[in-house]
Amino acid sequence: MPARTANELLAALGSEQGRRDPMPLFAELHRIGPVCRLEPGSSPYAVVVNGYDAAQEALKDTRFHRLLTADPDPQASVLRRLGGSMMFRNEPDHLRMRKVFQAVLTPRRLAGFEPVVDGLVAELLDDLGKAGADRQLVDFVDFAYRLPITVIGTFLGIPRSDLGWFRDRTQRIDEYLDLGGKAPEKLAAANQAADELNAYYARMIRDRRLRPRDDDRGGGVGKESDTVGSLVHALDSGTSGIDEQELIDNLLVLVNASFVTTMNLLTNGLELLLAEPPLIDALRDDPGLASDHVEEILRHQSSVQLISRKASTDLELAGEPIAEGSLVLILPGAANRDPAKHPDADTFDPGRDDLQHLSFGAGPFYCVGAALARMEGRAAFGQLFRRFPGLRLVSEPVRSRSLLLRGHESMPIRLG
């Protein structure tokens, strides 16, 4: 069988099989080179970036501008809301917005929040234990959703009674952003979701103004933490550097990104660990190993698989000339499995010497919530197998169809 071209491999990534298991296609791309040129006119993208060093360089180089989609409609609500956030803005707007959230996601503040996360994990494992009592089948995806949305909701001060409402709306936006997801019906569903989320955060901000909480100015991190109140206080005092719509847009993206990617980290990790019982035994004996396990899960099964960039000037990447205005598709999941970076890259090995990965990006656009995601993963895997030593899969997990965000739709388990 002749070697496939980069165009053929990109098309295969969008197929049903490619979405379920893109890893063999990544291996073929690596054999072509770290940067694979596409035939002119065959795709919105000029090149696919799959080598680790090339992907890291592209992510760090601010001459590669962020973009929301390859063919954005500026009138679409979902694009206005996402495009107004730091996730899709370039400098200087990106840094101006990022500073606002870095001020509430400081290492000291997050360290103070870690016991809260540990307590939330224990509480949600209690709920999981009740649901799975008497060998009842339960879906681990439900726990994997509830943990990160409860953590970010607690951190921001979102009522728990509202948390279940976010899942469908986030899914509609993610389906639109996925490769090949620009069908009119998906755009309409994503626009409606963005409008509803926008209205929710606008009400939340109004509520904080009418009924400020005791810790709005102090930025507490306990059970009554209200980061949104702190942000609204900074906004109204003129010290935040952002306006109200920018605050709303960033809250929308922060909540969406923080729980979907962590949900995938948890389901991807459970599937990997259940295939390696000795790793579970070691983790149960020493929960401190969870940190390396989380890093290897992120390397082996990156929650985010696609990142788009636009060249703001003529430049070169791994020896390939890239013209100004060209769109570039970066594949973090492929870069994390580059054999030039990681020997035996397809093997899941938390004990490997080099656990570096690009799953949170790199450079000035590095994920602002990375520390919180790691904290949740450590807490979950540090407690899960001690609590349920007999946990096992009941049937094959069902992968989501998303290529952008690699995770699961369902993962049926029994706890013992």
Side-chain angles (χ1 to χ4, degrees):
M1 179 179 177
R4 287 187 281 187
T5 66
N7 283 82
E8 291 170 331
L9 293 171
L10 185 60
L13 278 172
S15 70
E16 194 70 34
Q17 176 60 31
R19 290 170 183 272
R20 281 198 307 269
D21 184 16
M23 308 312 168
L25 301 174
F26 293 165
E28 289 189 62
L29 286 170
H30 287 312
R31 287 194 283 272
I32 296 175
V35 177
C36 301
R37 186 164 296 281
L38 299 169
E39 296 172 13
S42 65
S43 167
Y45 299 99
V47 296
V48 175
V49 184
N50 55 275
Y52 187 94
D53 289 343
Q56 184 177 55
E57 180 181 343
L59 292 170
K60 286 183 173 182
D61 191 338
T62 55
R63 295 177 300 170
F64 284 106
H65 282 185
R66 289 176 157 194
L67 74 159
L68 188 48
T69 66
D71 52 348
D73 172 7
Q75 301 307 309
S77 295
V78 64
L79 296 177
R80 291 202 307 272
R81 297 288 67 82
L82 297 180
S85 75
M86 61 181 166
M87 182 173 284
F88 295 105
R89 296 289 280 273
N90 296 294
E91 305 304 0
D93 287 333
H94 165 262
L95 183 58
R96 173 175 58 84
M97 296 178 187
R98 186 182 182 93
K99 285 179 177 178
V100 176
F101 288 88
Q102 285 179 325
V104 297
L105 287 164
T106 62
R108 181 179 179 182
R109 196 160 194 255
L110 289 173
F113 195 58
E114 190 156 12
V116 178
V117 173
D118 290 337
L120 290 173
V121 169
E123 177 185 336
L124 293 175
L125 289 177
D126 285 344
D127 293 344
L128 184 66
K130 292 172 186 175
D134 301 321
R135 296 178 53 78
Q136 288 293 310
L137 184 148
V138 291
D139 192 342
F140 185 74
V141 171
D142 292 335
F143 169 83
Y145 167 75
R146 289 185 65 202
L147 175 58
I149 193 64
T150 303
V151 167
I152 194 64
T154 301
F155 190 81
L156 294 175
I158 297 172
R160 282 210 189 184
S161 57
D162 292 348
L163 297 180
W165 178 85
F166 287 87
R167 189 172 181 179
D168 170 68
R169 286 148 185 86
T170 297
Q171 185 174 4
R172 282 186 263 156
I173 292 173
D174 291 341
E175 286 177 354
Y176 171 72
L177 292 176
D178 198 18
L179 192 68
K182 305 304 182 286
E185 63 273 14
K186 290 191 176 182
L187 175 60
N191 282 336
Q192 181 183 17
D195 288 340
E196 291 170 352
L197 287 163
N198 185 81
Y200 180 93
Y201 291 117
R203 288 193 302 271
M204 192 175 182
I205 290 170
R206 288 197 300 270
D207 179 70
R208 293 305 189 274
R209 290 190 174 119
L210 292 171
R211 289 177 289 275
R213 300 182 182 182
D214 289 342
D215 69 336
D216 282 359
R217 300 186 188 189
V221 294
K223 285 289 185 180
E224 301 302 321
S225 178
D226 185 30
T227 302
V228 169
S230 301
L231 292 167
V232 171
H233 174 70
L235 176 70
D236 290 346
S237 67
T239 60
S240 70
I242 61 175
D243 61 34
E244 185 166 327
Q245 187 59 60
E246 288 174 334
L247 175 57
I248 291 171
D249 294 344
N250 279 286
L251 286 172
L252 188 155
V253 169
L254 180 67
V255 174
N256 285 24
S258 66
F259 83 78
V260 174
T261 52
T262 305
M263 179 172 70
N264 292 346
L265 161 64
L266 295 173
T267 63
N268 290 336
L270 183 62
E271 184 176 31
L272 288 167
L273 288 166
L274 288 176
E276 301 286 348
L279 293 178
I280 292 177
D281 293 340
L283 187 57
R284 189 184 301 116
D285 293 339
D286 182 5
L289 296 173
S291 180
D292 284 351
H293 283 63
V294 166
E295 296 307 312
E296 179 66 351
I297 292 164
L298 289 164
R299 184 201 69 81
H300 193 274
Q301 297 284 341
S302 178
S303 296
V304 177
Q305 296 281 319
L306 308 175
I307 298 175
S308 297
R309 291 286 190 265
K310 183 177 183 178
S312 65
T313 187
D314 292 343
L315 46 77
E316 189 175 284
L317 184 65
E320 285 287 340
I322 298 176
E324 178 182 356
S326 296
L327 302 185
V328 172
L329 183 63
I330 304 168
L331 304 179
N336 289 342
R337 291 186 177 224
D338 184 351
K341 170 67 174 176
H342 292 293
D344 200 15
D346 290 334
T347 299
F348 177 67
D349 178 14
R352 67 172 63 244
D353 292 334
D354 185 354
L355 293 169
Q356 288 185 318
H357 56 79
L358 298 174
S359 297
F360 291 126
F365 299 126
Y366 188 77
C367 175
V368 72
L372 189 59
R374 286 182 163 114
M375 186 188 300
E376 294 172 63
R378 290 195 305 268
F381 291 118
Q383 294 186 43
L384 180 65
F385 299 110
R386 283 193 160 191
R387 184 68 181 275
F388 304 116
L391 187 154
R392 61 183 179 84
L393 288 172
V394 175
S395 58
E396 188 75 16
V398 178
R399 280 270 172 202
S400 70
R401 292 195 70 257
S402 174
L403 183 61
L404 170 67
L405 298 166
R406 184 162 175 78
H408 295 80
E409 291 183 359
S410 68
M411 185 170 281
I413 60 171
R414 283 197 174 91
L415 301 177

